[in-house]
Every structure is written in structure tokens, then in C-alpha cells.
């Protein structure tokens, strides 16, 4: 492993990779900081740009956006009392009161330090856990993969919205989209109706853009949010600086929250918002002065920020080892890997280990770049919240149309974008979440191919899934985690409602 | 104004899509493939998905009708007006793209979007037109993707 890591460092250290990661980081912080858009959206928009890039450069660009977005949300939470993303909701509870007390610089500094430490710990976890898990996953047979896909989908469906049934409905709709085209195992054309564009199936990128980008724009138009002039951010320039003592005092909490973030991140679909809230609650519970929380306690900023950034790299563990995307960002990365001719899953370490190690090592550097950018560019970032929404919406629309077209150089994909966008906008009104929809598209084919192989193995008997210990374990875990996650999400929704905001997808 | 029950409407959509999928399988998958077992053909997964969609739909309908667990969503046409304008301009742009090309269609659509948003700042018009051109150049020259 040590040799692979050294090889990864060598592969990472090229000017293209350094440029791409820094650009991605900048973009991620911007999209994270602007309320109403998210890093997930930035990743989807930037996906077509990675098609012509080297695999390491392209995927690191997207990883950097994801990591930057998790930190960027804290800027608007602290300065505007509006979280850039739901991921930063918990940061707002103490970040904004700190800013009001003239300690905005201290709060922003702590958010940056905690995010960096959380992100680096997460990147190391990815580097050391993923290869071991992938090695273990090589022993899985089709029944284990099928139950694993069901495990991933049901958990994501359970916690990404308000209702498990709606989450599973969205997952089913996504799986339905994935079956259009030529069936890989039999070669039969499905739902193509003689149209040659449908033979290759519905492209992931147009569907992603349709599900995430267009409804975001349409919702802003409906609510009139695009007309609102951003509130004046609290000035941070004459406020208190973060001291070494502050960092030292918060360090145990940062480390504990980072571990919580890594664990939550490694569970498919659990998400950074949950990790941030759990860490905030844990910090408050273990504090000698819990009464100070909510009134500008610095640890109240450190805990959620360390946790939400610790989720980032860890959420790629299930993707790289099992082929199960744990988040929308990870699902988008499946598209990036696929376009580079790589199939995500345990075999990826055997076939493209050099690329993976470079990406995992690069993720550590990405978090260090975040520290540098956050330190030197914070003045600019604090102004980002004033980006005119009308420009943002039209620019995003243009990127969506051109991005969808670029997928296959076909107008058909633009029509898919429009169709998915309108459909998801309607479903969004009914509280049907988008994340399980996308994961259904990715997990659908994985589940199908392994279900077929399993049933061939068992001569048509479904008992194969309960007679094999590992597959039975995944089924038991599916039920247990889903029940636990739904319960947890309800609590989070209640907590969010009390503060006037709602948790949904991590965006 | 249209007032809809969220769970009930989502349930009905899920059931309708599921039933639609089930009905369209014989037309959509005509090729019969022999496998080691008779069970797993190319229509196996679509049928499972249809059953899943119908089941989830029924659960949502039961939640709404029997357990009265539902919320209302109000669709106000005055609020949706702007979304409709946006979609009309977007659809017009998409139709025009293969005929006149991305750049003219995108530039005209951007201006129309801003008219619809009642944007008065002339500087923003200049910025968005520049963004359209930059997007074109990025894809055409940097990524080598010929746009229509």
C-alpha cells in the first residue's frame, strides 16, 4: 500500500491537477456560499467539462468542488444567517450570533480550520479504509451485490426526504429510467419503440441536470427569490481574530466530530447535514456550558463544520469499494468514472489502482488548498453572497442546455433534460426527493444484473438471498438502518422546523 | 388556485406510472430470451419496478385516505406564471437551436429571460450575453464539442 501511496503522490503532483483542484475548490466554495444553489449542482454542471480531461484531473476537479461546497456554506451561515446549503444549517446556530458579537472573523476562521481538519481526516480514512474494504468486497457474489444495492437504495430513500414511500417511489422511477435501452445481459431492446436514440438508454448527465438544476431554477422563479436583494452581510474586517488558544480549546471537539463525520459519511445516503447535527448535539451534550450554545459558542461552529467536511471523502468509500454511491455527488462521479471507461466497484482497485490512489492522495491536498484559499480569499468569498440571482439562473440554464447536448452531441438529450426537469419540478411540489431518483438510475442496473445472476444460480428461487449469511446480513441491515434513519430524520426535521428551515436533500 | 393533497397525488402518480409500465411491457419488450431459468428474462426487472411503484403508490394513498396523514400543496397560477414564461422561452430556444444554432438562440433567449424577469440593469444584460458567448467558446474551442 505504501508504494501505491507514493505512486499516487507522484501522479497527483502535476500542474494540471493542481490547477484543476484549486479551480474546483474555488467553484465549490462559491456554489456553497451562494444561498439556493449547492455544490451538488456545481458538480453536475461541471461534469461535461471532465469528459475531455485526464481521469485523475477530471475526478479531482469534481472532488474539490464537493469539498469546497461543504465549507462554503458556512460563509453565508455565519455572515448572513442563511445557510448556503442544509449542510451548514447547524453552523448557523452559533456562527451568526458570534458574528453579531463582532467575532465574525473568529467564527469564519474556526469554520475553516475545523473544515480542513475534518476533511483531511476524512481523506486519510478514504485512503486507508477503501482498499481494505474493496479487498473484502471482492469475495461478494451476485446475491450479496443485489442485497447491497437494495440496502443502498432503501437507506437513501428513507433519509433523503420526509417519507420513505416517496423516497422508494423516486428510486423506482429512477430504476425505470435505467431500464430503457438495450438490456446488457440478454441484448433485448427495451422500451425503444424503434427510436435509435433510445437504444443507448437515457443519458445520466441530461437526467442529472434535469433533476437537480432545472427544478432549482424553477423553484426560485416560483417563490420570487430571484428578485430579493441579498441581505447585507455582517462585516468581519474589524472583528476578533482566531487565536491558537481557540483552536487548542476546540481541538478535542473537532477530532470527535471528524470521527462522527467519517462514520456517518461511510453510510450510504446518511449525508453531511445529519453528521453536522449529530456532532453539534454531541458537542453540546459533552460541554461544561451547554447553556452557551445558540448564543455564540465557538465550539458550536467547530463541531458541525468538522463533521460536514469529514463526510466528504468518507462518502466515497461505499462508491469506490462497493459501487454504491452514498450521495448525489458520488452518483455524479459514477458518470465521470463511466465516461473515463472505468466501472466503479471493488475491481476498480485492481484495474485502475494507480488512478484511485492519485485521487485519494489528491483529496488530502484538496483540503489543504481549502485552508489556503479560505485564508487568503475570504474577503472575496464574503461578497459572493451578493451575486445577482437573475444572472446566475440564466447562466445555469445555458450550462444545462449545452451540457446536456454535449453528452452525446444530440438534441435528444436536451429534450430529456427538459422532460426530467418538468417532471421533477412537479414531483418536488409533492415532496418527492430527487436524490433517490438519481441513485435508482445507478443502482437499478447493478441490482438487475445481480438479481438475474442470483436467480440463475438458485434456479429461480429467492431463498438464495436469505440462505447466504452475508446477503442475509445486508437484508437485516437494510431493515435496521432504514428504521433508524427514518427515526433520526424525523427528529432532524422537527429540529429544523423549530428553526424555521427544512431538511431535505443535502443541498 | 389548485389545492392538492401531496401524498394522495404522489400515490396516484406512482400507481399510474406503475400500471402504465406494466401495460406497456408487452409492446416495449417484444424479444423473448431463453435463460437458464424461465423466470429471468428482459421483462423481469421492469415488472418488479412496476410492482414497486404500484405498491408505494398504494401505501401513499392509504396514508392519505385512511390514516389522514397528508398535507396540502397550493398551486397558485400567479406564482407559476414566471415558471411558465421560463419554460416557454426555454422550449422555444431548444426548438430554435438546431435551426439557427446555439449562439443566436442562446443570446435571444437570454435577453427574453431577462425581459421576463423584469431585469432593468443594463450591465447585467451585457454580462449574460458575454456568458452565452463564453459558454459557446468553452465548449466549441476548449472542449472541442461542436454545438448546433
Amino acid at each position: 500500500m505504501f508504494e501505491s501511496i507514493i505512486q499516487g503522490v507522484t501522479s497527483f503532483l502535476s500542474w494540471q491537477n493542481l490547477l484543476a483542484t484549486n479551480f474546483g475548490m474555488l467553484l465549490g466554495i462559491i456554489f456553497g456560499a451562494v444561498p439556493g444553489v449547492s455544490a451538488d449542482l456545481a458538480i453536475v454542471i461541471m461534469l461535461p467539462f471532465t469528459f475531455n480531461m485526464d481521469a485523475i484531473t477530471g475526478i479531482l476537479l469534481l472532488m474539490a468542488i464537493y469539498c469546497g461546497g461543504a465549507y462554503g456554506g458556512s460563509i453565508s451561515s455565519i455572515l448572513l444567517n442563511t445557510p448556503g446549503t442544509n449542510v451548514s444549517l447547524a453552523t448557523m446556530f452559533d456562527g451568526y450570533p458570534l458574528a453579531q458579537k463582532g467575532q465574525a472573523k473568529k467564527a469564519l476562521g474556526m469554520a475553516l480550520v475545523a473544515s480542513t481538519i475534518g476533511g483531511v481526516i476524512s481523506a486519510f480514512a478514504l485512503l486507508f479504509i477503501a482498499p481494505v474494504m474493496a479487498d473484502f468486497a471482492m469475495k461478494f457474489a451476485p446475491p450479496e451485490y443485489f442485497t447491497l444495492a437494495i440496502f443502498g437504495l432503501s437507506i437513501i430513500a428513507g433519509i433523503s426526504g420526509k417519507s420513505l414511500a416517496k423516497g422508494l417511489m423516486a428510486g423506482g422511477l429512477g430504476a425505470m429510467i435505467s431500464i430503457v435501452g438495450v438490456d446488457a445481459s440478454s441484448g433485448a431492446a427495451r422500451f425503444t419503440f424503434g427510436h435509435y436514440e433510445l437504444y443507448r438508454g437515457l443519458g445520466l448527465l441530461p437526467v442529472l441536470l434535469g433533476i437537480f438544476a432545472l427544478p432549482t431554477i424553477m423553484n426560485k422563479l416560483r417563490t420570487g427569490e430571484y428578485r430579493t436583494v441579498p441581505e447585507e452581510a455582517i462585516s468581519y474586517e474589524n472583528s476578533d481574530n482566531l487565536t491558537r488558544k481557540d483552536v487548542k480549546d476546540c481541538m478535542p471537539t473537532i477530532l470527535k466530530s471528524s470521527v462522527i463525520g467519517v462514520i456517518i459519511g461511510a453510510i450510504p445516503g446518511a449525508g453531511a447535514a445529519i453528521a453536522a447535527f449529530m456532532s453539534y448535539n454531541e458537542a453540546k451534550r459533552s460541554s461544561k456550558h451547554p447553556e452557551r450554545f445558540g448564543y455564540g459558542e465557538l465550539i458550536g461552529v467547530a463541531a458541525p463544520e468538522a463533521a460536514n467536511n469529514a463526510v466528504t471523502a468518507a462518502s466515497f468509500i461505499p462508491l469506490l469499494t462497493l459501487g454504491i454511491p452514498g450521495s448525489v455527488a458520488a452518483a455524479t462521479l459514477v458518470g465521470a468514472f463511466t465516461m473515463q471507461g472505468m466501472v466503479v466497484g471493488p475491481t476498480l482497485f485492481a484495474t485502475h489502482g494507480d488512478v484511485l490512489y492519485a485521487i485519494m492522495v489528491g483529496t488530502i491536498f484538496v483540503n489543504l488548498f481549502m485552508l489556503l484559499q479560505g485564508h487568503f480569499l475570504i474577503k472575496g468569498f464574503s461578497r459572493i453572497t451578493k451575486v445577482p440571482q437573475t444572472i446566475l439562473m440564466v447562466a445555469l440554464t445555458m450550462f444545462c442546455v449545452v451540457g446536456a447536448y454535449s453528452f452525446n452531441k444530440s438534441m435528444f438529450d436536451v429534450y430529456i433534460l427538459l422532460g426530467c426537469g418538468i417532471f421533477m419540478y412537479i414531483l418536488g411540489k409533492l415532496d418527492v426527493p430527487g436524490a433517490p431518483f438519481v441513485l435508482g438510475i445507478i443502482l437499478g442496473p447493478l441490482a438487475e444484473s445481480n438479481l438475474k445472476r442470483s436467480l440463475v444460480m438458485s434456479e429461480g428461487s429467492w431463498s438464495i438471498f436469505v440462505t447466504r449469511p452475508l446477503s442475509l446480513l445486508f437484508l437485516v441491515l437494510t431493515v435496521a438502518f432504514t428504521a433508524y434513519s427514518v427515526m433520526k430524520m424525523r427528529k432532524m426535521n422537527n429540529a429544523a422546523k423549530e428553526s424555521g428551515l427544512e431538511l431535505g436533500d443535502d443541498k | 388556485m389548485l389545492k392538492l393533497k401531496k401524498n394522495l397525488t404522489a400515490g396516484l402518480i406512482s400507481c399510474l406510472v406503475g400500471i402504465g409500465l406494466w401495460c406497456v411491457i408487452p409492446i416495449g419488450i417484444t424479444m423473448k430470451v431463453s435463460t437458464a431459468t424461465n423466470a429471468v428474462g428482459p421483462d423481469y426487472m421492469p415488472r418488479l419496478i412496476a410492482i414497486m411503484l404500484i405498491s408505494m403508490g398504494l401505501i401513499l394513498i392509504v396514508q392519505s385516505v385512511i390514516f389522514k396523514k397528508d398535507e396540502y400543496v397550493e398551486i397558485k397560477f400567479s406564482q407559476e406564471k414566471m415558471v411558465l414564461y421560463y419554460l416557454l422561452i426555454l422550449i422555444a430556444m431548444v426548438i430554435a437551436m438546431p435551426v439557427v444554432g446555439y449562439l443566436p438562440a442562446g443570446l435571444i433567449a437570454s435577453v427574453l429571460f431577462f425581459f421576463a424577469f423584469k431585469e432593468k440593469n443594463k450591465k447585467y444584460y451585457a454580462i449574460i450575453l458575454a456568458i452565452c458567448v463564453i459558454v459557446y467558446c468553452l465548449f466549441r474551442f476548449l472542449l472541442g464539442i461542436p454545438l448546433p
Side-chain angles (χ1 to χ4, degrees):
Chain A
M1 184 190 273
F2 187 70
E3 280 174 17
S4 302
I5 293 171
I6 297 292
Q7 178 67 36
V9 175
T10 319
S11 303
F12 169 72
L13 289 173
S14 71
W15 69 267
Q16 292 96 331
N17 292 340
L18 293 173
L19 189 71
T21 45
N22 275 290
F23 176 69
M25 175 56 62
L26 189 69
L27 206 64
I29 295 176
I30 292 170
F31 269 75
V34 176
V37 290
S38 64
D40 286 345
L41 184 61
I43 294 172
V44 178
I45 297 274
M46 288 305 288
L47 183 59
F49 287 93
T50 65
F51 294 165
N52 286 8
M53 290 180 187
D54 170 66
I56 299 171
T57 314
I59 291 164
L60 273 173
L61 172 78
L62 302 179
M63 290 283 268
I65 295 174
Y66 186 42
C67 295
Y71 159 66
S74 68
I75 298 169
S76 45
S77 284
I78 292 167
L79 297 178
L80 279 176
N81 200 26
T82 306
T85 58
N86 272 341
V87 168
S88 305
L89 194 62
T91 309
M92 197 177 74
F93 298 153
D94 281 279
Y96 188 67
L98 271 168
Q100 282 179 313
K101 286 197 280 187
Q103 296 184 334
K105 208 183 251 182
K106 187 178 278 221
L108 286 169
M110 181 49 77
L112 180 62
V113 171
S115 296
T116 305
I117 296 172
V120 169
I121 289 175
S122 183
F124 272 106
L126 175 68
L127 183 62
F128 290 108
I129 296 172
V132 181
M133 264 187 78
D135 200 35
F136 176 69
M138 289 289 277
K139 294 173 186 128
F140 289 1
E144 282 76 39
Y145 270 113
F146 173 70
T147 47
L148 195 61
I150 300 300
F151 170 66
L153 187 62
S154 54
I155 287 185
I156 291 153
I159 60 179
S160 57
K162 290 178 181 173
S163 152
L164 176 66
K166 284 181 189 171
L168 287 174
M169 170 192 163
L173 291 170
M176 187 179 82
I177 281 189
S178 75
I179 56 175
V180 176
V182 177
D183 175 25
S185 59
S186 65
R190 296 191 291 197
F191 308 109
T192 53
F193 305 107
H195 292 278
Y196 77 94
E197 293 99 337
L198 288 171
Y199 276 86
R200 60 183 170 225
L202 303 181
L204 181 63
L205 179 63
V207 174
L208 278 174
L209 287 167
I211 288 170
F212 287 107
L214 287 193
T216 305
I217 298 167
M218 287 192 261
N219 279 320
K220 274 176 178 287
L221 288 170
R222 184 178 54 81
T223 56
E225 202 186 313
Y226 68 97
R227 284 196 207 102
T228 53
V229 179
E231 279 179 51
E232 197 58 42
I234 290 178
S235 171
Y236 72 97
E237 287 184 31
N238 297 318
S239 58
D240 290 350
N241 270 319
L242 185 73
T243 62
R244 284 187 182 197
K245 188 181 175 301
D246 292 330
V247 177
K248 199 178 160 189
D249 290 346
C250 293
M251 195 51 81
T253 304
I254 292 174
L255 295 175
K256 189 162 63 177
S257 303
S258 300
V259 173
I260 293 173
V262 168
I263 294 167
I264 298 289
I267 299 169
I274 291 176
F277 270 95
M278 278 181 77
S279 301
Y280 183 83
N281 286 339
E282 176 53 26
K284 190 175 174 181
R285 190 195 62 78
S286 57
S287 170
K288 285 176 187 164
H289 303 285
E291 74 284 356
R292 289 185 192 165
F293 279 72
Y295 297 97
E297 177 72 332
L298 200 56
I299 293 177
V301 173
E305 280 306 305
N308 66 31
N309 272 75
V311 164
T312 52
S315 72
F316 291 98
I317 295 175
L319 176 75
L320 299 182
T321 58
L322 307 169
I324 306 284
S327 61
V328 173
T332 312
L333 246 75
V334 173
F337 276 108
T338 309
M339 291 308 288
Q340 300 287 351
M342 293 188 251
V343 180
V344 287
T347 53
L348 199 56
F349 274 89
T351 55
H352 295 89
D354 52 338
V355 175
L356 283 193
Y357 273 99
I359 291 167
M360 291 189 294
V361 168
T363 311
I364 299 171
F365 284 92
V366 160
N367 284 286
L368 297 175
F369 295 148
M370 181 166 71
L371 186 67
L372 293 174
Q373 287 200 15
H375 184 70
F376 292 108
L377 303 177
I378 187 66
K379 195 173 176 181
F381 291 146
S382 65
R383 290 181 185 155
I384 289 162
T385 49
K386 293 175 186 170
V387 170
Q389 294 285 319
T390 46
I391 293 181
L392 194 67
M393 284 192 302
V394 178
L396 285 176
T397 306
M398 294 301 150
F399 271 105
C400 286
V401 171
V402 177
Y405 176 86
S406 72
F407 190 65
N408 279 316
K409 299 177 187 68
S410 157
M411 283 305 292
F412 182 75
D413 287 323
V414 183
Y415 306 144
I416 298 293
L417 161 85
L418 271 177
C420 286
I422 295 168
F423 189 51
M424 197 61 227
Y425 175 70
I426 296 166
L427 290 183
K429 283 187 176 296
L430 306 171
D431 291 339
V432 177
F437 197 115
V438 174
L439 296 161
I441 298 171
I442 289 160
L443 294 178
L446 181 78
E448 181 178 16
S449 59
N450 286 295
L451 172 66
K452 282 181 177 175
R453 283 182 206 142
S454 305
L455 291 180
V456 169
M457 276 166 71
S458 67
E459 296 181 344
S461 168
W462 281 73
S463 64
I464 192 168
F465 300 112
V466 289
T467 51
R468 294 173 68 96
L470 263 177
S471 124
L472 179 64
L473 175 73
F474 286 134
L475 287 177
V476 171
L477 281 176
T478 302
V479 177
F481 268 108
T482 307
Y484 173 77
S485 306
V486 170
M487 212 167 61
K488 204 80 194 164
M489 196 62 199
R490 278 184 187 162
K491 276 187 188 175
M492 303 279 270
N493 275 331
N494 290 339
K497 269 180 191 168
E498 281 171 22
S499 62
L501 287 152
E502 287 186 17
L503 284 173
D505 300 339
D506 277 359
K507 58 180 183 167
Chain B
M1 189 181 75
L2 188 64
K3 214 173 167 187
L4 295 171
K5 283 184 174 177
K6 288 181 181 178
N7 284 351
L8 184 64
T9 315
L12 288 172
I13 291 175
S14 190
C15 280
L16 283 175
V17 174
I19 293 167
L21 177 63
W22 186 274
C23 294
V24 91
I25 286 171
I27 313 159
I29 308 169
T30 48
M31 190 175 159
K32 296 293 168 208
V33 180
S34 300
T35 54
T37 68
N38 290 328
V40 266
D43 59 342
Y44 193 74
M45 192 67 175
R47 286 189 198 282
L48 283 183
I49 295 169
I51 291 168
M52 181 182 171
L53 286 172
I54 295 167
S55 309
M56 290 308 122
L58 288 175
I59 289 171
L60 287 166
I61 292 168
V62 167
Q63 273 181 354
S64 172
V65 176
I66 297 174
F67 295 104
K68 308 287 176 200
K69 195 183 156 193
D70 215 336
E71 287 173 20
Y72 281 98
V73 56
E74 290 179 353
I75 300 171
K76 292 176 184 163
F77 290 104
S78 55
Q79 281 184 340
E80 303 297 333
K81 201 169 65 182
M82 198 54 82
V83 178
L84 283 175
Y85 288 155
Y86 171 78
L87 283 175
L88 282 175
I89 298 168
L90 186 58
I91 291 168
M93 178 190 157
V94 169
I95 293 169
M97 259 173 72
V99 185
V100 297
Y102 159 75
L103 203 52
L107 290 171
I108 294 167
S110 301
V111 173
L112 290 176
F113 280 133
F114 270 23
F115 278 148
F117 301 161
K118 296 187 177 91
E119 182 59 71
K120 286 171 186 161
N121 193 327
K122 284 177 186 165
K123 199 168 79 180
Y124 292 175
Y125 279 85
I127 293 171
I128 199 61
L129 292 177
I131 289 175
C132 274
V133 177
I134 291 168
V135 169
Y136 178 80
C137 294
L138 272 177
F139 279 86
R140 180 74 186 83
F141 302 112
L142 190 73
L143 301 180
I145 296 166
L147 296 173

